[in-house]
Amino acid sequence: MKHTPHNGPRHVAIIMDGNGRWATQRGRPRLFGHHAGARRVREVVETCPDIGVKYLTIFAFSTENWKRTQVEVAGLMNLFRRYIIKEAKSLTHFGVRVRFIGDRVRLDDKLIELMNELEELTAGNTVVNLTIALNYGGRDEVARATKRLAQDVADGKLMPENVDEETLPKYLDTYVLPDPDLVIRTSGEARISNFLLWQSAYSEYEFIDTLWPDFGREEFTALCANYGGRSRRYGGVGT
């Protein structure tokens, strides 16, 4: 197995955009593109160990995506259920630990059950940590975290004067994960779309034109290698 240099990204987050446009370009319905995009996830996950990526976080469905047509939303929810059932065995075999982040309240009971089962099934795996953001929004996450923090203050478990920038992350959905080193967005859009707002404060970004169903091992590897050549100063002055 190949190993990436130590200065490569340890945690990569991806905004998987362009499925609908990919399908439209081929005269197919948008859901055709979403199914093609889902198949790309496995290739990217399996590339991670070869290039030293230990954590991969993917944006599957945002809190804003409910605004899409009922047909598309229903189709996506069905795709998520099918993906979990179909991929559970291969993810386990490959040593992938799966976590889901986002607000589960609006999701249907069957999907929540499958999510819980996959998290439990893969809990002991250590090769790759795959986090799937489902019904996730950065502002929503911070709001939910703040409510939990405020409740702890009200209950006397936390003193207001002890709250600082190190406190809130402990209440975020991603509290067990390191912040992303690199955030990739496919499809040519140059915005972060409410994704990991707190966590990506010092992340490097790559906005690429490739539509997600066309994104694969070679481009993923190249982007991670490019990250290794960047100077990471975190507000300081470079040498």
Side-chain angles (χ1 to χ4, degrees), residues 81-100:
R81 289 189 291 268
R82 290 176 57 185
Y83 176 84
I84 292 173
I85 294 170
K86 180 182 178 182
E87 296 294 325
K89 187 174 182 179
S90 64
L91 288 168
T92 304
H93 176 74
F94 197 69
V96 179
R97 177 168 187 173
V98 180
R99 296 180 177 89
F100 291 92

Side-chain angles (χ1 to χ4, degrees), residues 142-155:
V142 171
R144 289 186 287 106
T146 304
K147 287 179 183 178
R148 290 192 289 269
L149 188 154
Q151 188 62 57
D152 279 355
V153 170
D155 293 341

Side-chain angles (χ1 to χ4, degrees), residues 141-210:
E141 178 190 29
V142 171
R144 289 186 287 106
T146 304
K147 287 179 183 178
R148 290 192 289 269
L149 188 154
Q151 188 62 57
D152 279 355
V153 170
D155 293 341
K157 299 178 181 177
L158 181 66
M159 299 304 293
E161 59 269 23
N162 293 332
V163 176
D164 57 24
E165 67 178 64
E166 301 298 324
T167 308
L168 184 63
K170 298 174 184 177
Y171 292 84
L172 295 173
D173 296 352
T174 56
Y175 68 97
V176 297
L177 304 174
D179 290 341
D181 303 299
L182 173 66
V183 180
I184 299 169
R185 179 170 187 150
T186 60
S187 88
E189 302 292 347
R191 57 180 180 271
I192 60 175
S193 294
N194 200 18
F195 184 48
L196 301 178
L197 297 181
W198 181 281
Q199 300 89 335
S200 60
Y202 282 99
S203 300
E204 298 290 328
Y205 276 83
E206 289 279 5
F207 298 104
I208 61 174
D209 292 333
T210 307

Side-chain angles (χ1 to χ4, degrees), residues 14-24 26 28-45 56 58-60 68 72 76 79-80 83 86-87 130 132 186 210-217:
I14 303 179
I15 302 172
M16 307 180 297
D17 195 18
N19 292 336
R21 271 168 284 171
W22 185 88
T24 300
R26 290 158 176 76
R28 303 296 295 271
R30 289 177 59 83
L31 281 171
F32 177 76
H34 292 308
H35 281 271
R39 290 193 292 271
R40 279 299 183 185
V41 173
R42 179 188 288 195
E43 181 177 343
V44 171
V45 169
L56 177 69
I58 57 175
F59 204 2
R68 297 186 179 185
E72 185 171 356
L76 282 167
L79 172 61
F80 298 145
Y83 176 84
K86 180 182 178 182
E87 296 294 325
L130 172 63
I132 302 173
T186 60
T210 307
L211 301 178
W212 175 249
D214 292 328
F215 185 83
R217 171 184 290 268

